[in-house]
Amino acid sequence: MSNEILGSNVKGTTLVVETSDGREIYDSKFLVAALLIHVAQGSGKIEPEESSQIIDLIEDYFNLDGSESLELITRAVSEMVDKPTLVDLLMDLSPALSDATKEDIAFMGLKVVAADGRRDVAEMEQFTETMESLGISNEIVHRAFGRYFNQTGASN
């Protein structure tokens, strides 16, 4: 696969990317997987607990079986390594996402950040930057925090 992106455009809820090897299509499932991976990479590496959390979140959110979830995540990691600018292009899908979906993405991102039990400033910064890049409002992020604290019993 070529890592050089020649062009891209959004069609509905998919991102179409042109490379010298042809056309690649990325949907909202790929977007969510890539964003969760991107948040987890904020500390420099993805911890095993974070990987497990991402697999579980993708599996539950999209009603996939474990192997489908793992396959999606593996593809996302591979594509993000091959095409470093892909994450930025995926942000173009944000206008096609509902506020409820954006809140779900923020909520899942918080669960990934907390998965390894450590408070990592770099991961929270990556989370914040990702939410801002997606155009997710502070109000939506605040609701996601509320959901997270209600579910985990953690205090804010």
Side-chain angles (χ1 to χ4, degrees):
M1 267 184 216
S2 171
N3 62 0
E4 184 182 355
I5 295 175
L6 304 174
S8 67
N9 62 56
V10 173
K11 291 185 179 179
T13 59
T14 61
L15 174 68
V16 179
V17 174
E18 299 288 340
T19 70
S20 56
D21 288 343
R23 178 179 289 170
E24 294 284 335
I25 298 174
Y26 305 98
D27 62 8
S28 58
K29 290 179 186 176
F30 184 91
L31 168 70
V32 172
L35 293 176
L36 295 179
I37 291 162
H38 184 66
V39 167
Q41 290 173 327
S43 64
K45 71 177 198 168
I46 300 175
E47 299 296 332
E49 301 90 351
E50 293 166 336
S51 295
S52 178
Q53 181 70 271
I54 293 169
I55 292 168
D56 291 346
L57 289 167
I58 295 295
E59 191 175 316
D60 291 344
Y61 192 69
F62 293 112
N63 281 333
L64 301 175
D65 65 36
S67 64
E68 289 175 306
S69 179
L70 183 57
E71 183 179 322
L72 175 61
I73 292 162
T74 302
R75 177 179 176 231
V77 168
S78 175
E79 292 285 323
M80 290 167 60
V81 168
D82 289 346
K83 299 174 185 81
T85 60
L86 184 58
V87 170
D88 294 332
L89 293 175
L90 287 167
M91 300 302 177
D92 292 342
L93 287 173
S94 181
L97 303 175
S98 69
D99 284 353
T101 300
K102 290 177 180 179
E103 183 180 330
D104 291 341
I105 291 170
F107 174 70
M108 289 186 282
L110 290 170
K111 291 184 86 166
V112 169
V113 169
D116 61 6
R118 292 188 297 270
R119 292 181 185 209
D120 191 300
V121 172
E123 278 182 356
M124 273 312 296
E125 287 175 353
Q126 185 94 328
F127 169 83
T128 301
E129 288 171 13
T130 302
M131 297 305 108
E132 288 173 358
S133 295
L134 271 173
I136 298 178
S137 71
N138 288 336
E139 178 185 331
I140 291 172
V141 172
H142 183 73
R143 286 196 312 253
F145 268 102
R147 279 176 59 191
Y148 175 78
F149 293 132
N150 285 338
Q151 185 183 65
T152 62
S155 62
N156 45 2

